[in-house]
Amino acid sequence: MAEIVRFAPSPTGNIHIGNARTALINWLVAVKSGGEFILRYDDTDQERSKQEYADGIAVDLDWLGIKPTRVEKQSARMAAYDEVAQKLKDMGRLYPCYETADELDRKRKRQRARGLPPVYDRAALKLSDEEKAAFEAEGRTPHWRFLLDQETVAWQDGVRGEQSIECSSVSDPVLIRGDGTYLYTLPSVIDDIEMGVTMVIRGDDHVTNTAVQIQLFNLLNGKAPKFAHHNLLTSATGEGLSKRLGSLSLRSMREEGYEALSVAIFAVVIGTSDPVQPLADMGALAELFALEKVSRNASKFDMADLVHLNARILHETELEAVSERLSALGIEADEAFWLAIRGNIEKLTEAKDWWAIARDGLLDDAVQKNAEDADFYAKAKELLPAEPWDGTTWKSWTTAVKNATGRKGKGLFMPLRVALTGRSHGPELAAFLPILGSQRTLDRLS
Ligand code: GLU
């Protein structure tokens, strides 16, 4: 069945790899089913929502390869929400409450002290018109709660299987704040109905909301969409991601030079039954992915694994796929350069170092030549073949140096590598030597 899905971020910050997981899983389900992907900004919180974050999210999704078929924002749809809210008030399912945050807090403490669950006691339902008027005269404006049916709400979750929630243990949720703004709960349901969303896929921190929203769907539309709640990602030490944004934001990953494909594979595949592995493209990821493979437990992830995957992908990437980004880094790479260095970088930005080494000179942190090797270097210089050079030059040169000096293995190759590159690890020198050329090689041996 062609699924209509949506990714519904609040544009209150940069999105991170955990949000990317939600977006990508929705995208893959849309692609696999030949359906649609709606990008919907949950921006009812006007104070915290910012256009620059909304724009940034669009750029991040585009980078990952996600192309929304439709873009919506809740702030443009207030009239629709007001209409439904009025309907719920008329039905007696949305009721005004006047408690302050402090009063609610004290109520919960008293309940806990008596061994009761801290569920809202519905005291506001019993207020008379005079009492409400008195609160308003005091300057209090009401927030509005949804009167839940105290039933068991059950659904077949696309990831978690059979789920059920006892609504008598859930507080009637606040749908409208004291300042008149909507929390995302009701607008989300109204939008999902109007936009024909067939499956809601989101993090499992929303499982309780789902029971509430299924009641709203049934009330407003007679039926609810399918739901799937994926597990959340946590840092290696088990913390949630929201507090640790910084380096985990997609934007910073892009700026640091990660491949979009590695980030996409990593964000989706960790926490599933598949191993993290290089894949050719998003199509291959779509082929691999299935909701049923997603684990029900939170998934710890380690940036080192992403770096490793990124490196494996780069090692097989063709020049054509990266040449524009290399140009943006100031690298006008040809095939020979790229093939020589791609196996020695973990992120594309590291190509800058090799470009500088190949063209300009050794880097500031270069490993120094050993003074005791002076004679060896003099001999190597003397035996350096004249250009033109090709892939066989290294072999014929080092064979000659070996015969003349009696050195072999590491004792032969390491001093040459250090002199030519300033590093003790790096590209195959057979490939790198022709890029360096005779003049630079002679200079560096001196
Ligand atoms: N704005 C909500 C969030 O980012 C959306 C949840 C949903 O997908 O329904 O958590």
Side-chain angles (χ1 to χ4, degrees):
M1 169 181 168
E3 303 290 359
I4 302 178
V5 300
R6 83 295 191 283
F7 174 56
S10 304
T12 54
N14 293 320
I15 57 172
H16 55 63
I17 188 151
N19 308 120
R21 180 173 177 77
T22 309
L24 285 159
I25 292 177
N26 274 285
W27 172 246
L28 295 174
V29 167
V31 167
K32 277 185 92 120
S33 69
E36 281 178 48
F37 177 101
I38 302 169
L39 167 58
R40 192 182 71 216
Y41 294 108
D42 279 4
D43 59 350
T44 56
D45 185 343
Q46 296 280 15
E47 206 135 292
R48 291 172 58 227
S49 298
K50 296 223 159 62
Q51 188 58 40
E52 62 179 283
Y53 292 130
D55 295 341
I57 290 169
V59 171
D60 289 342
L61 295 185
D62 185 68
W63 180 62
L64 287 172
I66 295 175
K67 316 279 173 223
T69 35
R70 181 170 173 182
V71 181
E72 296 285 348
K73 55 179 189 185
Q74 295 194 321
S75 57
R77 295 180 34 78
M78 289 300 168
Y81 310 148
D82 290 345
E83 193 182 313
V84 175
Q86 190 55 51
K87 193 165 129 191
L88 291 174
K89 287 177 188 172
D90 294 344
M91 292 163 85
R93 294 297 297 267
L94 198 53
Y95 62 96
C97 303
Y98 294 87
E99 294 93 342
T100 62
D102 273 349
E103 287 164 354
L104 289 171
D105 205 39
R106 268 177 294 185
K107 262 188 201 193
R108 284 191 289 264
K109 283 196 182 119
R110 281 199 301 272
Q111 286 169 311
R112 283 208 191 84
R114 291 180 14 226
L116 298 171
V119 175
Y120 179 61
D121 62 5
R122 295 184 163 173
L125 271 183
K126 299 178 200 99
L127 294 175
S128 66
D129 287 346
E130 291 74 43
E131 286 167 318
K132 290 181 199 169
F135 278 133
E136 296 199 13
E138 259 177 47
R140 298 197 192 200
T141 50
H143 53 276
W144 296 78
R145 288 185 191 261
F146 176 51
L147 185 67
L148 285 170
D149 265 333
Q150 298 203 326
E151 57 179 7
T152 309
V153 171
W155 71 94
Q156 187 64 33
D157 193 280
V159 171
R160 300 163 62 85
E162 195 71 52
Q163 295 288 294
S164 70
I165 298 228
E166 207 51 70
C167 288
S168 56
S169 62
V170 178
S171 294
D172 287 342
V174 176
L175 301 188
I176 305 176
R177 299 183 185 90
D179 65 2
T181 59
Y182 292 94
L183 284 100
Y184 98 100
T185 318
L186 176 63
S188 176
V189 169
I190 296 171
D191 291 346
D192 289 344
I193 293 171
E194 280 192 24
M195 296 169 195
V197 169
T198 59
M199 190 188 272
V200 173
I201 306 168
R202 56 188 180 184
D204 61 18
D205 49 338
H206 284 291
V207 166
T208 306
N209 292 341
T210 295
V212 169
Q213 289 185 316
I214 286 179
Q215 287 204 6
L216 284 167
F217 275 112
N218 288 338
L219 196 60
L220 299 172
N221 200 37
K223 63 176 198 292
K226 289 170 278 192
F227 282 88
H229 295 89
H230 65 75
N231 57 350
L232 299 183
L233 304 183
T234 66
S235 70
T237 50
E239 296 160 73
L241 295 190
S242 54
K243 295 174 221 110
R244 311 183 66 256
L245 249 167
S247 67
L248 298 175
S249 74
L250 292 186
R251 180 185 175 153
S252 67
M253 290 186 175
R254 188 168 64 242
E255 286 169 357
E256 274 180 52
Y258 284 97
E259 302 307 290
L261 182 61
S262 343
V263 174
I265 295 172
F266 191 69
V268 170
V269 174
I270 34 169
T272 70
S273 50
D274 287 311
V276 172
Q277 58 192 320
L279 297 168
D281 52 26
M282 287 290 272
L285 182 58
E287 201 144 307
L288 182 74
F289 178 77
L291 279 175
E292 303 76 52
K293 292 182 176 178
V294 177
S295 153
R296 298 184 194 190
N297 302 318
S299 201
K300 283 189 188 171
F301 83 94
D302 192 341
M303 281 304 269
D305 295 335
L306 173 60
V307 172
H308 186 64
L309 174 67
N310 200 71
R312 286 175 69 195
I313 287 183
L314 271 181
H315 299 174
E316 291 175 10
T317 298
E318 302 297 339
L319 175 60
E320 204 195 336
V322 286
S323 57
E324 230 168 81
R325 286 163 61 213
L326 288 173
S327 288
L329 292 169
I331 303 172
E332 296 311 327
D334 58 8
E335 191 77 12
F337 173 78
W338 177 244
L339 292 181
I341 66 116
R342 70 175 181 180
N344 290 279
I345 55 176
E346 292 181 323
K347 294 182 211 157
L348 195 71
T349 40
E350 292 161 14
K352 276 201 299 203
D353 284 354
W354 289 112
W355 183 247
I357 293 169
R359 318 258 309 182
D360 309 332
L362 303 187
L363 304 182
D364 291 344
D365 63 354
V367 182
Q368 296 302 314
K369 284 187 291 192
N370 199 330
E372 287 160 26
D373 289 328
D375 291 347
F376 169 76
Y377 284 127
K379 198 80 204 156
K381 215 173 140 181
E382 197 184 301
L383 292 169
L384 191 69
E387 282 174 318
W389 287 358
D390 61 21
T392 65
T393 308
W394 170 255
K395 178 92 175 101
S396 43
W397 178 38
T398 52
T399 306
V401 177
K402 176 179 162 187
N403 292 339
T405 63
R407 291 201 189 199
K408 57 182 191 224
K410 208 171 166 201
L412 171 67
F413 298 121
M414 190 54 85
L416 293 176
R417 176 177 289 287
V418 165
L420 301 188
T421 68
R423 294 191 166 184
S424 46
H425 296 282
E428 287 289 340
L429 288 169
F432 202 67
L433 189 70
I435 295 170
L436 213 51
S438 177
Q439 194 53 55
R440 290 190 195 89
T441 303
L442 289 171
D443 291 347
R444 291 179 195 184
L445 291 167
S446 301

